[in-house]
């Protein structure tokens, strides 16, 4: 998976302004979440319950069951940055990333390759947006044509 986005064009998406960037997959089901944890398990990822590192459960239902009583977190390392998943709700997959760690073409390639891989694993559209703003899209992956594109919100 090669990223064909240009850092000079996309760098504004990663301006360190004190907010995070969110990666969303909307309209998810339990089956989509299962595909996500299967995808993440193949990456450099770690899983935590109440701050204590644990083995990633094999089934997503165990994570959502744990999330009712404990704080759960998955961290996925991409090279330049760490992507966080808090398992907020089954209906949307929301990940967050600190833009200050994406400061070059290499960082853009890594985050783009993650987004493309996620979209292909779930066979769904994926967007990178402003924090808590799914409509303020910077990058979008289209499952229909398997392409990622830059869009200024």
């Amino acid at each position: 998976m090669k990223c064909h986005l240009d850092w000079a064009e996309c760098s504004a998406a990663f301006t360190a302004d004190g907010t995070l960037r969110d990666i969303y997959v909307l309209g998810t089901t339990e089956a989509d979440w299962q595909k996500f944890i299967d995808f993440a398990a193949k990456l450099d990822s770690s899983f935590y319950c109440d701050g204590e590192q644990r083995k990633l459960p094999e089934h997503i239902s165990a994570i959502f069951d744990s999330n009712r009583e404990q704080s759960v977190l998955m961290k996925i390392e991409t090279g330049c940055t760490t992507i966080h998943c808090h398992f907020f709700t089954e209906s949307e997959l929301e990940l967050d990333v600190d833009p200050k760690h994406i400061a070059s073409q290499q960082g853009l390639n890594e985050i783009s390759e993650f987004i493309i891989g996620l979209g292909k694993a779930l066979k769904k559209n994926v967007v990178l947006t402003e924090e808590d703003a799914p409509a303020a899209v910077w990058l979008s992956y289209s499952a229909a044509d398997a392409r990622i594109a830059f869009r200024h919100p």
Side-chain angles (χ1 to χ4, degrees):
M1 281 178 288
K2 280 282 189 196
C3 169
H4 298 287
L5 299 175
D6 179 56
W7 175 249
E9 180 183 13
C10 301
S11 62
F14 303 100
T15 301
D17 59 6
T19 65
L20 299 173
R21 299 298 174 268
D22 288 334
I23 298 170
Y24 285 103
V25 180
L26 303 175
T28 54
T29 64
E30 185 174 325
D32 295 322
W33 275 98
Q34 186 64 50
K35 290 176 190 173
F36 166 69
I37 66 166
D38 293 344
F39 167 73
K42 296 174 187 168
L43 304 174
D44 181 7
S45 61
S46 51
F47 181 75
Y48 301 84
C49 286
D50 286 340
E52 180 182 314
Q53 188 167 359
R54 300 219 178 126
K55 183 178 184 267
L56 177 65
E58 290 183 27
H59 299 286
I60 190 63
S61 58
I63 295 173
F64 280 112
D65 288 347
S66 294
N67 202 20
R68 291 185 184 98
E69 300 172 11
Q70 302 174 29
S71 171
V72 295
L73 170 68
M74 177 185 279
K75 294 181 181 182
I76 303 167
E77 304 295 332
T78 65
C80 68
T81 194
T82 303
I83 299 168
H84 295 106
C85 180
H86 299 278
F87 301 91
F88 292 128
T89 178
E90 269 188 48
S91 64
E92 70 179 22
L93 194 155
E94 178 185 343
L95 310 165
D96 59 56
V97 62
D98 190 333
K100 72 181 175 191
H101 298 290
I102 302 168
S104 67
Q105 183 68 49
Q106 178 181 342
L108 175 61
N109 291 349
E110 291 170 359
I111 198 72
S112 297
E113 288 170 12
F114 173 82
I115 290 169
I116 292 166
L118 178 61
K120 286 183 176 184
L122 274 63
K123 296 178 177 49
K124 289 195 169 254
N125 297 336
V126 181
V127 293
L128 180 129
T129 71
E130 291 292 321
E131 186 173 21
D132 296 324
V137 174
W138 284 103
L139 301 178
S140 62
Y141 169 80
S142 168
D145 59 10
R147 296 186 63 177
I148 192 165
F150 173 75
R151 294 177 16 192
H152 194 288

